[in-house]
Amino acid sequence: MIAGHDVAHLRAPNPGMLTLTGTNTWVLGREPCWIVDPGPAIDVHLDAVAAEAQARGGAGGIAITHGHIDHVEGLDALGERLGGPPVAVAGRLGPLTAVRTPGHSTDSMTWIWGSVACTGDAVLGEGSVFVSAQLGEYLEALEGLRTRGLTLLLPGHGDPVTEPAQRIGALIEHRLERERRLVAALDRGARTVDELLDDAWSDAPAALRAPASLSLAAHLDKLEAEDRLPEGVERPVRPPGPPVA
């Protein structure tokens, strides 16, 4: 339980470089409760989620923040445990309303429950998320969340965020600072992917260089859309599938 909120936090045992301490599943309210992101297909995790939902009077439905495997792999198995509750990837689900927050993925949704927001990977409990596309829309979506008067963010990874406006503001500033570093590198004549990563993403660990290239691609797309991209800039090759987290 989270103080002041009828919310249960169940973290899957799948820690990693991209999943941090593991993928979060959130169970909101009761009689019925509402589940956000079933998580990976790990029996011990799904059993715990199902037990929590049943203790709260059964599940009214399952909401999905986005389609990355560590968030949705356990959907079918969890549904079987709970008798097949409805599943939503957008729109409304009982008292939950989805707000588009594309950027980390094109299908990313934040689910609003009163003054609580389940952000998936749009806002993490720590650090910054890799933005694979639609950076301009992502920044606009973050600004929209910041002005909603939220009291709690429940992220897809990391701990709950009890100061939403401050956390979201820091993420916006992080992206703008990354853009400033990228523009400065371009002004100095950097044109290849490696040069731009070495300069504007010099703080990214070597193990995260490939995901960082996705964010570089999104930043270059934004500059191009704003007619601010110089000629001759090498563009990162986007992989055919989405990242895990």
Side-chain angles (χ1 to χ4, degrees):
M1 291 283 293
I2 297 174
H5 300 275
D6 194 7
V7 172
H9 178 194
L10 296 102
R11 179 175 287 146
N14 64 331
M17 183 70 75
L18 296 180
T19 55
L20 305 180
T21 51
T23 302
N24 294 327
T25 297
W26 302 100
V27 184
L28 315 175
R30 59 188 68 232
E31 296 182 352
C33 66
W34 307 90
I35 299 169
V36 180
D37 283 352
I42 299 174
D43 284 338
V44 66
H45 175 67
L46 299 177
D47 288 344
V49 174
E52 182 67 31
Q54 289 160 356
R56 288 168 171 262
I62 301 172
I64 304 298
T65 63
H66 64 298
H68 289 171
I69 190 170
D70 64 308
H71 293 259
V72 301
E73 185 184 39
L75 177 60
D76 290 345
L78 182 61
E80 291 175 1
R81 285 166 166 80
L82 295 174
V87 176
V89 298
R92 294 187 64 88
L93 180 67
L96 280 65
T97 301
V99 175
R100 289 190 71 249
T101 47
H104 179 67
S105 65
T106 58
D107 63 344
S108 176
M109 295 287 172
T110 289
W111 289 91
I112 307 296
W113 183 56
S115 66
V116 175
C118 295
T119 58
D121 289 0
V123 178
L124 302 182
E126 60 183 89
S128 61
V129 69
F130 292 103
V131 179
S132 62
Q134 299 170 283
L135 177 56
E137 291 181 62
Y138 175 63
L139 292 173
E140 290 176 4
L142 288 182
E143 187 59 45
L145 289 178
R146 181 163 65 166
T147 60
R148 290 186 75 100
L150 298 169
T151 60
L152 182 68
L153 304 182
L154 305 178
H157 306 277
D159 293 332
V161 176
T162 57
E163 296 182 347
Q166 180 178 332
R167 174 73 177 127
I168 294 170
L171 285 178
I172 293 172
E173 176 54 30
H174 170 74
R175 280 291 145 216
L176 295 178
E177 173 59 21
R178 190 71 77 186
E179 180 178 282
R180 288 190 286 268
R181 291 179 61 181
L182 175 58
V183 170
L186 291 167
D187 288 344
R188 288 192 292 270
R191 290 294 182 269
T192 71
V193 169
D194 283 340
E195 288 172 340
L196 294 170
L197 288 175
D198 286 344
D199 198 324
W201 273 264
S202 58
D203 54 326
L208 294 179
R209 192 171 177 89
S213 71
L214 292 176
S215 289
L216 169 59
H219 276 272
L220 293 176
D221 287 347
K222 179 176 181 290
L223 293 178
E224 182 178 45
E226 296 169 350
D227 198 26
R228 298 166 60 200
L229 185 68
E231 294 184 359
V233 176
E234 181 185 11
R235 307 295 278 269
V237 176
R238 288 186 167 99
V244 172

PDB file of all heavy atoms in Angstrom, residues 127-146:
ATOM      1  N   GLY A 127      16.035   8.396 -13.179  1.00  0.00           N
ATOM      2  CA  GLY A 127      16.688   8.525 -14.472  1.00  0.00           C
ATOM      3  C   GLY A 127      15.743   9.035 -15.545  1.00  0.00           C
ATOM      4  O   GLY A 127      14.632   9.499 -15.275  1.00  0.00           O
ATOM      5  N   SER A 128      16.179   8.933 -16.792  1.00  0.00           N
ATOM      6  CA  SER A 128      15.380   9.373 -17.932  1.00  0.00           C
ATOM      7  C   SER A 128      15.105   8.191 -18.840  1.00  0.00           C
ATOM      8  O   SER A 128      15.829   7.200 -18.828  1.00  0.00           O
ATOM      9  CB  SER A 128      16.105  10.473 -18.715  1.00  0.00           C
ATOM     10  OG  SER A 128      17.329   9.991 -19.229  1.00  0.00           O
ATOM     11  N   VAL A 129      14.058   8.300 -19.618  1.00  0.00           N
ATOM     12  CA  VAL A 129      13.659   7.228 -20.513  1.00  0.00           C
ATOM     13  C   VAL A 129      14.254   7.469 -21.899  1.00  0.00           C
ATOM     14  O   VAL A 129      14.530   8.613 -22.280  1.00  0.00           O
ATOM     15  CB  VAL A 129      12.120   7.152 -20.583  1.00  0.00           C
ATOM     16  CG1 VAL A 129      11.562   8.362 -21.310  1.00  0.00           C
ATOM     17  CG2 VAL A 129      11.666   5.866 -21.241  1.00  0.00           C
ATOM     18  N   PHE A 130      14.458   6.413 -22.656  1.00  0.00           N
ATOM     19  CA  PHE A 130      14.895   6.556 -24.040  1.00  0.00           C
ATOM     20  C   PHE A 130      13.692   6.879 -24.912  1.00  0.00           C
ATOM     21  O   PHE A 130      12.679   6.184 -24.863  1.00  0.00           O
ATOM     22  CB  PHE A 130      15.595   5.283 -24.521  1.00  0.00           C
ATOM     23  CG  PHE A 130      16.901   5.052 -23.831  1.00  0.00           C
ATOM     24  CD1 PHE A 130      17.019   4.114 -22.823  1.00  0.00           C
ATOM     25  CD2 PHE A 130      18.010   5.807 -24.164  1.00  0.00           C
ATOM     26  CE1 PHE A 130      18.214   3.913 -22.164  1.00  0.00           C
ATOM     27  CE2 PHE A 130      19.217   5.623 -23.507  1.00  0.00           C
ATOM     28  CZ  PHE A 130      19.319   4.682 -22.508  1.00  0.00           C
ATOM     29  N   VAL A 131      13.795   7.968 -25.660  1.00  0.00           N
ATOM     30  CA  VAL A 131      12.721   8.407 -26.548  1.00  0.00           C
ATOM     31  C   VAL A 131      13.062   7.934 -27.952  1.00  0.00           C
ATOM     32  O   VAL A 131      14.086   8.310 -28.515  1.00  0.00           O
ATOM     33  CB  VAL A 131      12.573   9.937 -26.517  1.00  0.00           C
ATOM     34  CG1 VAL A 131      11.468  10.392 -27.457  1.00  0.00           C
ATOM     35  CG2 VAL A 131      12.291  10.402 -25.097  1.00  0.00           C
ATOM     36  N   SER A 132      12.209   7.082 -28.512  1.00  0.00           N
ATOM     37  CA  SER A 132      12.523   6.485 -29.808  1.00  0.00           C
ATOM     38  C   SER A 132      11.965   7.276 -30.979  1.00  0.00           C
ATOM     39  O   SER A 132      12.419   7.110 -32.104  1.00  0.00           O
ATOM     40  CB  SER A 132      11.986   5.047 -29.860  1.00  0.00           C
ATOM     41  OG  SER A 132      10.576   5.033 -29.732  1.00  0.00           O
ATOM     42  N   ALA A 133      10.973   8.137 -30.747  1.00  0.00           N
ATOM     43  CA  ALA A 133      10.354   8.910 -31.829  1.00  0.00           C
ATOM     44  C   ALA A 133       9.432   9.951 -31.205  1.00  0.00           C
ATOM     45  O   ALA A 133       9.199   9.962 -29.994  1.00  0.00           O
ATOM     46  CB  ALA A 133       9.568   7.997 -32.765  1.00  0.00           C
ATOM     47  N   GLN A 134       8.903  10.845 -32.028  1.00  0.00           N
ATOM     48  CA  GLN A 134       7.866  11.799 -31.611  1.00  0.00           C
ATOM     49  C   GLN A 134       8.294  12.626 -30.394  1.00  0.00           C
ATOM     50  O   GLN A 134       7.521  12.842 -29.464  1.00  0.00           O
ATOM     51  CB  GLN A 134       6.552  11.054 -31.305  1.00  0.00           C
ATOM     52  CG  GLN A 134       5.992  10.295 -32.501  1.00  0.00           C
ATOM     53  CD  GLN A 134       4.849   9.381 -32.109  1.00  0.00           C
ATOM     54  OE1 GLN A 134       5.073   8.316 -31.543  1.00  0.00           O
ATOM     55  NE2 GLN A 134       3.634   9.787 -32.420  1.00  0.00           N
ATOM     56  N   LEU A 135       9.518  13.124 -30.433  1.00  0.00           N
ATOM     57  CA  LEU A 135      10.047  13.854 -29.291  1.00  0.00           C
ATOM     58  C   LEU A 135       9.235  15.111 -28.999  1.00  0.00           C
ATOM     59  O   LEU A 135       8.969  15.433 -27.827  1.00  0.00           O
ATOM     60  CB  LEU A 135      11.511  14.217 -29.524  1.00  0.00           C
ATOM     61  CG  LEU A 135      12.193  15.058 -28.443  1.00  0.00           C
ATOM     62  CD1 LEU A 135      12.100  14.383 -27.089  1.00  0.00           C
ATOM     63  CD2 LEU A 135      13.644  15.323 -28.822  1.00  0.00           C
ATOM     64  N   GLY A 136       8.830  15.829 -30.045  1.00  0.00           N
ATOM     65  CA  GLY A 136       8.029  17.027 -29.835  1.00  0.00           C
ATOM     66  C   GLY A 136       6.716  16.717 -29.131  1.00  0.00           C
ATOM     67  O   GLY A 136       6.316  17.414 -28.185  1.00  0.00           O
ATOM     68  N   GLU A 137       6.041  15.651 -29.560  1.00  0.00           N
ATOM     69  CA  GLU A 137       4.791  15.245 -28.923  1.00  0.00           C
ATOM     70  C   GLU A 137       5.033  14.784 -27.490  1.00  0.00           C
ATOM     71  O   GLU A 137       4.196  15.008 -26.601  1.00  0.00           O
ATOM     72  CB  GLU A 137       4.124  14.136 -29.728  1.00  0.00           C
ATOM     73  CG  GLU A 137       3.584  14.574 -31.078  1.00  0.00           C
ATOM     74  CD  GLU A 137       2.912  13.426 -31.808  1.00  0.00           C
ATOM     75  OE1 GLU A 137       1.920  12.893 -31.285  1.00  0.00           O
ATOM     76  OE2 GLU A 137       3.389  13.061 -32.902  1.00  0.00           O
ATOM     77  N   TYR A 138       6.154  14.134 -27.268  1.00  0.00           N
ATOM     78  CA  TYR A 138       6.488  13.678 -25.921  1.00  0.00           C
ATOM     79  C   TYR A 138       6.627  14.859 -24.964  1.00  0.00           C
ATOM     80  O   TYR A 138       6.065  14.851 -23.859  1.00  0.00           O
ATOM     81  CB  TYR A 138       7.777  12.868 -25.966  1.00  0.00           C
ATOM     82  CG  TYR A 138       8.305  12.419 -24.622  1.00  0.00           C
ATOM     83  CD1 TYR A 138       7.571  11.556 -23.805  1.00  0.00           C
ATOM     84  CD2 TYR A 138       9.546  12.846 -24.163  1.00  0.00           C
ATOM     85  CE1 TYR A 138       8.056  11.147 -22.577  1.00  0.00           C
ATOM     86  CE2 TYR A 138      10.044  12.436 -22.934  1.00  0.00           C
ATOM     87  CZ  TYR A 138       9.296  11.588 -22.144  1.00  0.00           C
ATOM     88  OH  TYR A 138       9.780  11.183 -20.927  1.00  0.00           O
ATOM     89  N   LEU A 139       7.342  15.886 -25.393  1.00  0.00           N
ATOM     90  CA  LEU A 139       7.523  17.055 -24.544  1.00  0.00           C
ATOM     91  C   LEU A 139       6.190  17.747 -24.280  1.00  0.00           C
ATOM     92  O   LEU A 139       5.923  18.206 -23.166  1.00  0.00           O
ATOM     93  CB  LEU A 139       8.518  18.022 -25.181  1.00  0.00           C
ATOM     94  CG  LEU A 139       9.966  17.524 -25.255  1.00  0.00           C
ATOM     95  CD1 LEU A 139      10.825  18.491 -26.052  1.00  0.00           C
ATOM     96  CD2 LEU A 139      10.543  17.315 -23.868  1.00  0.00           C
ATOM     97  N   GLU A 140       5.340  17.830 -25.304  1.00  0.00           N
ATOM     98  CA  GLU A 140       4.014  18.427 -25.114  1.00  0.00           C
ATOM     99  C   GLU A 140       3.183  17.599 -24.140  1.00  0.00           C
ATOM    100  O   GLU A 140       2.463  18.154 -23.289  1.00  0.00           O
ATOM    101  CB  GLU A 140       3.291  18.530 -26.456  1.00  0.00           C
ATOM    102  CG  GLU A 140       3.887  19.560 -27.412  1.00  0.00           C
ATOM    103  CD  GLU A 140       3.205  19.552 -28.759  1.00  0.00           C
ATOM    104  OE1 GLU A 140       2.208  18.800 -28.921  1.00  0.00           O
ATOM    105  OE2 GLU A 140       3.652  20.291 -29.655  1.00  0.00           O
ATOM    106  N   ALA A 141       3.282  16.272 -24.250  1.00  0.00           N
ATOM    107  CA  ALA A 141       2.522  15.396 -23.351  1.00  0.00           C
ATOM    108  C   ALA A 141       3.013  15.550 -21.909  1.00  0.00           C
ATOM    109  O   ALA A 141       2.204  15.576 -20.964  1.00  0.00           O
ATOM    110  CB  ALA A 141       2.646  13.942 -23.800  1.00  0.00           C
ATOM    111  N   LEU A 142       4.327  15.639 -21.726  1.00  0.00           N
ATOM    112  CA  LEU A 142       4.857  15.845 -20.382  1.00  0.00           C
ATOM    113  C   LEU A 142       4.347  17.157 -19.789  1.00  0.00           C
ATOM    114  O   LEU A 142       3.965  17.217 -18.609  1.00  0.00           O
ATOM    115  CB  LEU A 142       6.386  15.843 -20.397  1.00  0.00           C
ATOM    116  CG  LEU A 142       7.090  14.508 -20.619  1.00  0.00           C
ATOM    117  CD1 LEU A 142       8.602  14.706 -20.541  1.00  0.00           C
ATOM    118  CD2 LEU A 142       6.647  13.449 -19.618  1.00  0.00           C
ATOM    119  N   GLU A 143       4.348  18.204 -20.589  1.00  0.00           N
ATOM    120  CA  GLU A 143       3.852  19.493 -20.099  1.00  0.00           C
ATOM    121  C   GLU A 143       2.385  19.388 -19.717  1.00  0.00           C
ATOM    122  O   GLU A 143       1.955  19.969 -18.704  1.00  0.00           O
ATOM    123  CB  GLU A 143       4.053  20.577 -21.163  1.00  0.00           C
ATOM    124  CG  GLU A 143       3.736  21.980 -20.683  1.00  0.00           C
ATOM    125  CD  GLU A 143       4.573  22.396 -19.490  1.00  0.00           C
ATOM    126  OE1 GLU A 143       5.793  22.164 -19.497  1.00  0.00           O
ATOM    127  OE2 GLU A 143       4.001  22.972 -18.538  1.00  0.00           O
ATOM    128  N   GLY A 144       1.616  18.633 -20.494  1.00  0.00           N
ATOM    129  CA  GLY A 144       0.219  18.427 -20.155  1.00  0.00           C
ATOM    130  C   GLY A 144       0.054  17.713 -18.829  1.00  0.00           C
ATOM    131  O   GLY A 144      -0.809  18.067 -18.016  1.00  0.00           O
ATOM    132  N   LEU A 145       0.878  16.692 -18.583  1.00  0.00           N
ATOM    133  CA  LEU A 145       0.818  15.989 -17.302  1.00  0.00           C
ATOM    134  C   LEU A 145       1.225  16.909 -16.153  1.00  0.00           C
ATOM    135  O   LEU A 145       0.635  16.872 -15.070  1.00  0.00           O
ATOM    136  CB  LEU A 145       1.738  14.766 -17.319  1.00  0.00           C
ATOM    137  CG  LEU A 145       1.326  13.574 -18.189  1.00  0.00           C
ATOM    138  CD1 LEU A 145       2.383  12.480 -18.103  1.00  0.00           C
ATOM    139  CD2 LEU A 145      -0.047  13.030 -17.782  1.00  0.00           C
ATOM    140  N   ARG A 146       2.222  17.739 -16.404  1.00  0.00           N
ATOM    141  CA  ARG A 146       2.722  18.611 -15.332  1.00  0.00           C
ATOM    142  C   ARG A 146       1.656  19.581 -14.844  1.00  0.00           C
ATOM    143  O   ARG A 146       1.654  19.960 -13.669  1.00  0.00           O
ATOM    144  CB  ARG A 146       3.957  19.382 -15.812  1.00  0.00           C
ATOM    145  CG  ARG A 146       4.537  20.286 -14.745  1.00  0.00           C
ATOM    146  CD  ARG A 146       5.948  20.741 -15.025  1.00  0.00           C
ATOM    147  NE  ARG A 146       6.071  21.592 -16.185  1.00  0.00           N
ATOM    148  CZ  ARG A 146       7.161  22.316 -16.445  1.00  0.00           C
ATOM    149  NH1 ARG A 146       8.212  22.270 -15.627  1.00  0.00           N
ATOM    150  NH2 ARG A 146       7.226  23.059 -17.527  1.00  0.00           N
TER     151      ARG A 146
END
